[in-house]
Amino acid sequence: MKAYLDQVKPKPPGLIERIVSLSSINGQELVLDFFAGSGTTGHAVINLNREDGGRRRFILVEMGEYFDTVLLPRIKKVTFTPEWKDGKPKRLATPEEAERSPRIVKVMRLESYEDTLNNITFDEESGQKALELFGDEYLLRYMLHWETKKSEPLLDVEKLQSPFAYKLRIYRDGEVREQPVDLPETFNYLIGLDVETRRVDYDENRRYLTYRGTTRNGRKVAVIWRETAGWTQEDYERDARFVDERGLAKGADEVYVNGDSFIPGAQSLDGVFKTRMFAGGEV
């Protein structure tokens, strides 16, 4: 128990602030910590930006179970205000500190091998029988390519019609639970999109989520997400009019949408999503 506590014991951020400051050139650096522990590096970067007005960003990597109980709560608290005591804000951030604080902290979780197995479903009864007969060797060599092509971990393209409701079964805290998956953010990552704007529009009860940004090859891209399950031709025509009226695709070199569409120049992201997910392997 002592070793565990020593491992996650928060360290004073002053030393890390000094190291980052000495290696900083213009205050725009990206600071990486592949063994984040209790989150001291992120804490230090936030403090340093508040002190000198820098725009440094940080990436913290941690696989320990204490990520949710120690690291993430610490970063959330420091983002809200600089000083805390006994779990409560000691003072609120000044307007200048608030202006120099992070605007968003993004948490990304990698799907584990166990999570993938938890989400496998079989298209044919024969697949289950083969698994019982031949065991894991068959699973790894054949079943993941054939009997499970429509399983959620391999991306069920049909479910992209309802992108905001996509879920996976994830193992957490000793149990398997369903958890929403952020497909839009995942797609942005897969195509290398440097996001400049994130916009939400409503056509009555229809929600539109649009990302605008630039890819690594300099192309201006718009990615438009909406719920299309059960749509008719009339719905797609209404969809195209709404996108045009709101200018959601205006000025973009490439326009991606989930599912089908009548939007001029738009291409379905479904195939691109699956191809990029499994680049280098079977798709």
Side-chain angles (χ1 to χ4, degrees):
M1 183 65 172
K2 181 180 183 299
Y4 172 79
L5 292 175
D6 288 343
Q7 187 178 15
V8 300
K9 182 179 180 181
K11 300 180 287 296
L15 175 62
I16 307 300
E17 289 180 40
R18 179 64 174 164
I19 293 173
V20 173
S21 180
L22 289 173
S23 60
S24 183
I25 299 175
N26 57 13
Q28 306 287 325
E29 292 79 18
L30 176 61
V31 181
L32 308 180
D33 186 346
F34 296 103
F35 302 94
S38 64
T40 301
T41 298
H43 189 164
V45 171
I46 293 172
N47 283 352
L48 196 57
N49 283 344
R50 282 174 173 155
E51 291 173 8
D52 64 13
R55 303 288 291 179
R56 302 171 191 85
R57 296 171 294 161
F58 59 86
I59 295 177
L60 308 181
V61 181
E62 181 54 63
M63 62 182 294
E65 295 180 357
Y66 47 83
F67 175 87
D68 291 301
T69 58
V70 178
L71 190 157
L72 189 56
R74 180 182 187 182
I75 296 300
K76 287 181 177 180
K77 289 194 297 184
V78 177
T79 297
F80 178 68
T81 195
E83 297 181 25
W84 291 74
K85 185 176 182 180
D86 300 327
K88 297 180 180 180
K90 189 175 180 180
R91 69 172 178 84
L92 294 179
T94 66
E96 184 178 50
E97 288 173 331
E99 177 64 28
R100 294 176 174 181
S101 298
R103 290 292 179 268
I104 185 171
V105 176
K106 183 186 300 184
V107 178
M108 300 180 67
R109 298 183 187 272
L110 299 182
E111 183 182 349
S112 68
Y113 173 75
E114 289 76 12
D115 291 335
T116 300
L117 295 184
N118 285 334
N119 286 277
I120 287 178
T121 55
F122 303 102
D123 287 342
E124 302 176 7
E125 184 179 351
S126 60
Q128 181 62 50
K129 290 182 178 179
L131 178 60
E132 294 172 356
L133 288 173
F134 303 110
D136 289 345
E137 182 175 356
Y138 178 80
L139 171 68
L140 294 175
R141 292 189 178 184
Y142 302 103
M143 190 172 288
L144 291 180
H145 294 298
W146 302 107
E147 280 88 350
T148 62
K149 276 184 176 291
K150 292 186 178 180
S151 291
E152 285 85 349
L154 305 183
L155 190 66
D156 190 343
V157 173
E158 292 180 3
K159 290 189 177 181
L160 293 185
Q161 296 177 28
S162 301
F164 309 125
Y166 201 102
K167 293 182 179 180
L168 289 177
R169 291 185 292 277
I170 304 297
Y171 183 82
R172 293 285 183 274
D173 302 323
E175 63 179 9
V176 177
R177 64 184 69 167
E178 280 198 336
Q179 182 169 313
V181 176
D182 195 334
L183 293 181
E185 285 285 354
T186 304
F187 184 73
N188 293 341
Y189 172 80
L190 291 173
I191 65 173
L193 185 66
D194 185 2
V195 177
E196 297 164 3
T197 62
R198 178 186 185 277
R199 171 177 171 176
V200 176
D201 293 88
Y202 285 91
D203 179 8
E204 295 182 0
N205 62 336
R206 295 183 178 184
R207 181 188 180 207
Y208 284 75
L209 176 60
T210 305
Y211 288 88
R212 300 292 296 257
T214 306
T215 56
R216 296 187 182 98
N217 60 5
R219 304 278 290 175
K220 295 290 184 181
V221 173
V223 186
I224 304 171
W225 295 85
R226 66 271 198 269
E227 299 273 354
T228 64
W231 274 17
T232 63
Q233 178 172 333
E234 183 179 346
D235 293 307
Y236 285 108
E237 291 173 349
R238 170 180 166 181
D239 173 59
R241 289 194 300 269
F242 182 80
V243 170
D244 180 59
E245 291 169 0
R246 294 299 178 95
L248 301 185
K250 185 177 181 180
D253 298 317
E254 298 176 24
V255 180
Y256 290 103
V257 295
N258 64 301
D260 298 323
S261 81
F262 289 165
I263 301 169
Q267 60 178 308
S268 174
L269 61 82
D270 301 7
V272 177
F273 202 143
K274 193 158 190 175
T275 299
R276 295 294 178 91
M277 279 282 287
F278 302 100
E282 287 196 22
V283 296

